[in-house]
Amino acid sequence: MSPERRALLQIHFCVLLWGFTAILGKLISLPALELVWWRMLIVVVVLLAWLPLWRELRTVGARTLAVFAGIGVVVALHWLTFYGAIKLSNASVAASCMAVGPLFLAVIEPWIVGRPFDARELVVGLVALPGVALVVGGTPSEMQLGLAVGILSAFLVAIFGALNKRYVERAGPLLVTGVELAAGTAFLTVVAVAWQGQGPWHAIPDVRDAWLLAALSLGCTLLPFALALRALRHTSAFTAQLVVSLEPVYAILLAIVLLGEQRELSPAFYLGVALILAAVFAHTRLKRRGAAR
């Protein structure tokens, strides 16, 4: 199996795991900021116990660490807005907004990574947009704010996806994950103290929330985050983000089974899913033609 195909399969597996993040975010009773803070903190604590991480840390320059720390702030803002969108709307609407990411990334990645702009990627991203509009079509007016926050979250995920693509070769996936999430945790601590006048640790999760947070942090964060960073070594951030566009499909199907959100679905939803899938397959076809040439 070629490295590119293996990377694509890894990203699909990550997307399946990420499909549960919206569900868990809806089930966890903590507010968005505290939820994200605990999620990041748990991952950081686990990584701190990994001794090879400390050895690698001594070999990485301060400038590189600062870059990953800055990306970690963007990651924190993305998760904060994503879970904010879930709390303001529901898991289906918030997850569906992530499919707007490829459109943002088609413009952002060439600028950040320094590669030529490919108009075909913008076209493919545009193909996904009507699908998103149909999936979230008929969103009740009280959920419109959640929809807007979700689109902002998609913009942020495009930024840190492109930045990770540019700098991912400078350190191992686990070190990158640890530095980014540690910086994100510190950033959210400052935000909570400045905004709420108290640290995010004031919201202690109960036993149920603690188990859900453990599943969210380890199974849906640490594992796919590190695996996706490894996969980015062999694929573009745009390809990865377009595959991530399938996350709404997984998340909404899971929401039907676990949260009973099927009452919010209509034939437009299925048409929207079909358009998102068409965008993914169209991009794969274009990439194969480009490679053949």
Side-chain angles (χ1 to χ4, degrees), residues 166-248:
R166 177 172 179 177
Y167 296 105
V168 71
E169 297 287 350
R170 299 189 180 186
L174 287 180
L175 179 62
V176 173
T177 302
V179 173
E180 290 186 357
L181 298 194
T185 304
F187 171 74
L188 289 182
T189 301
V190 173
V191 170
V193 172
W195 181 22
Q196 301 175 339
Q198 57 186 346
W201 51 83
H202 78 278
I204 304 295
D206 57 23
V207 175
R208 175 180 175 274
D209 280 347
W211 280 108
L212 293 174
L213 276 168
L216 178 63
S217 302
L218 303 179
C220 300
T221 304
L222 180 57
L223 175 60
F225 203 92
L227 195 60
L229 285 173
R230 184 180 297 274
L232 273 176
R233 297 171 184 264
H234 303 289
T235 187
S236 72
F238 179 80
T239 300
Q241 184 58 42
L242 199 57
V243 176
V244 173
S245 297
L246 293 174
E247 182 182 340

